[in-house]
PDB file of all heavy atoms in Angstrom:
ATOM      1  N   GLN A 305      62.637  18.223  87.170  1.00 87.00           N
ATOM      2  CA  GLN A 305      61.501  19.110  87.417  1.00 87.00           C
ATOM      3  C   GLN A 305      62.019  20.441  87.961  1.00 87.00           C
ATOM      4  O   GLN A 305      62.511  20.513  89.081  1.00 87.00           O
ATOM      5  CB  GLN A 305      60.527  18.457  88.407  1.00 87.00           C
ATOM      6  CG  GLN A 305      59.962  17.123  87.952  1.00 87.00           C
ATOM      7  CD  GLN A 305      59.145  17.245  86.676  1.00 87.00           C
ATOM      8  OE1 GLN A 305      58.401  18.220  86.495  1.00 87.00           O
ATOM      9  NE2 GLN A 305      59.279  16.266  85.787  1.00 87.00           N
ATOM     10  N   LEU A 306      61.930  21.487  87.152  1.00 86.00           N
ATOM     11  CA  LEU A 306      62.499  22.775  87.522  1.00 86.00           C
ATOM     12  C   LEU A 306      61.420  23.747  87.982  1.00 86.00           C
ATOM     13  O   LEU A 306      60.306  23.770  87.451  1.00 86.00           O
ATOM     14  CB  LEU A 306      63.263  23.366  86.328  1.00 86.00           C
ATOM     15  CG  LEU A 306      64.402  22.516  85.775  1.00 86.00           C
ATOM     16  CD1 LEU A 306      65.067  23.216  84.598  1.00 86.00           C
ATOM     17  CD2 LEU A 306      65.424  22.202  86.859  1.00 86.00           C
ATOM     18  N   ARG A 307      61.775  24.581  88.958  1.00 87.00           N
ATOM     19  CA  ARG A 307      60.861  25.587  89.495  1.00 87.00           C
ATOM     20  C   ARG A 307      61.057  26.905  88.757  1.00 87.00           C
ATOM     21  O   ARG A 307      62.170  27.249  88.366  1.00 87.00           O
ATOM     22  CB  ARG A 307      61.123  25.781  90.985  1.00 87.00           C
ATOM     23  CG  ARG A 307      60.832  24.553  91.825  1.00 87.00           C
ATOM     24  CD  ARG A 307      61.433  24.663  93.208  1.00 87.00           C
ATOM     25  NE  ARG A 307      61.113  25.925  93.866  1.00 87.00           N
ATOM     26  CZ  ARG A 307      61.524  26.259  95.088  1.00 87.00           C
ATOM     27  NH1 ARG A 307      62.313  25.412  95.758  1.00 87.00           N
ATOM     28  NH2 ARG A 307      61.182  27.399  95.623  1.00 87.00           N
ATOM     29  N   PRO A 308      59.980  27.665  88.579  1.00 89.00           N
ATOM     30  CA  PRO A 308      60.108  28.931  87.851  1.00 89.00           C
ATOM     31  C   PRO A 308      60.746  30.061  88.665  1.00 89.00           C
ATOM     32  O   PRO A 308      61.300  30.999  88.098  1.00 89.00           O
ATOM     33  CB  PRO A 308      58.661  29.280  87.485  1.00 89.00           C
ATOM     34  CG  PRO A 308      57.836  28.609  88.557  1.00 89.00           C
ATOM     35  CD  PRO A 308      58.567  27.349  88.905  1.00 89.00           C
ATOM     36  N   ASP A 309      60.669  29.985  90.009  1.00 92.00           N
ATOM     37  CA  ASP A 309      61.206  31.065  90.831  1.00 92.00           C
ATOM     38  C   ASP A 309      62.730  30.945  90.928  1.00 92.00           C
ATOM     39  O   ASP A 309      63.266  29.846  91.072  1.00 92.00           O
ATOM     40  CB  ASP A 309      60.593  31.033  92.238  1.00 92.00           C
ATOM     41  CG  ASP A 309      60.769  29.688  92.915  1.00 92.00           C
ATOM     42  OD1 ASP A 309      60.439  28.670  92.270  1.00 92.00           O
ATOM     43  OD2 ASP A 309      61.248  29.652  94.062  1.00 92.00           O
ATOM     44  N   PRO A 310      63.446  32.074  90.845  1.00 91.00           N
ATOM     45  CA  PRO A 310      64.916  32.032  90.852  1.00 91.00           C
ATOM     46  C   PRO A 310      65.480  31.728  92.243  1.00 91.00           C
ATOM     47  O   PRO A 310      64.891  32.086  93.270  1.00 91.00           O
ATOM     48  CB  PRO A 310      65.314  33.432  90.396  1.00 91.00           C
ATOM     49  CG  PRO A 310      64.168  34.300  90.816  1.00 91.00           C
ATOM     50  CD  PRO A 310      62.939  33.450  90.678  1.00 91.00           C
ATOM     51  N   ALA A 311      66.626  31.052  92.273  1.00 90.00           N
ATOM     52  CA  ALA A 311      67.363  30.852  93.528  1.00 90.00           C
ATOM     53  C   ALA A 311      68.135  32.122  93.844  1.00 90.00           C
ATOM     54  O   ALA A 311      68.560  32.864  92.945  1.00 90.00           O
ATOM     55  CB  ALA A 311      68.306  29.662  93.389  1.00 90.00           C
ATOM     56  N   ASN A 312      68.327  32.385  95.139  1.00 91.00           N
ATOM     57  CA  ASN A 312      68.989  33.616  95.571  1.00 91.00           C
ATOM     58  C   ASN A 312      70.355  33.291  96.171  1.00 91.00           C
ATOM     59  O   ASN A 312      70.451  32.693  97.236  1.00 91.00           O
ATOM     60  CB  ASN A 312      68.110  34.335  96.601  1.00 91.00           C
ATOM     61  CG  ASN A 312      68.658  35.708  96.951  1.00 91.00           C
ATOM     62  OD1 ASN A 312      69.814  36.039  96.644  1.00 91.00           O
ATOM     63  ND2 ASN A 312      67.834  36.536  97.583  1.00 91.00           N
ATOM     64  N   PHE A 313      71.427  33.690  95.463  1.00 91.00           N
ATOM     65  CA  PHE A 313      72.788  33.507  95.957  1.00 91.00           C
ATOM     66  C   PHE A 313      73.482  34.846  96.182  1.00 91.00           C
ATOM     67  O   PHE A 313      74.695  34.953  96.095  1.00 91.00           O
ATOM     68  CB  PHE A 313      73.612  32.674  94.963  1.00 91.00           C
ATOM     69  CG  PHE A 313      73.202  31.228  94.869  1.00 91.00           C
ATOM     70  CD1 PHE A 313      72.252  30.829  93.947  1.00 91.00           C
ATOM     71  CD2 PHE A 313      73.758  30.277  95.715  1.00 91.00           C
ATOM     72  CE1 PHE A 313      71.874  29.493  93.852  1.00 91.00           C
ATOM     73  CE2 PHE A 313      73.383  28.941  95.628  1.00 91.00           C
ATOM     74  CZ  PHE A 313      72.441  28.543  94.691  1.00 91.00           C
TER      75      PHE A 313
END
Side-chain angles (χ1 to χ4, degrees):
Q305 301 298 321
L306 301 180
R307 296 165 50 180
D309 55 310
N312 187 346
F313 291 91

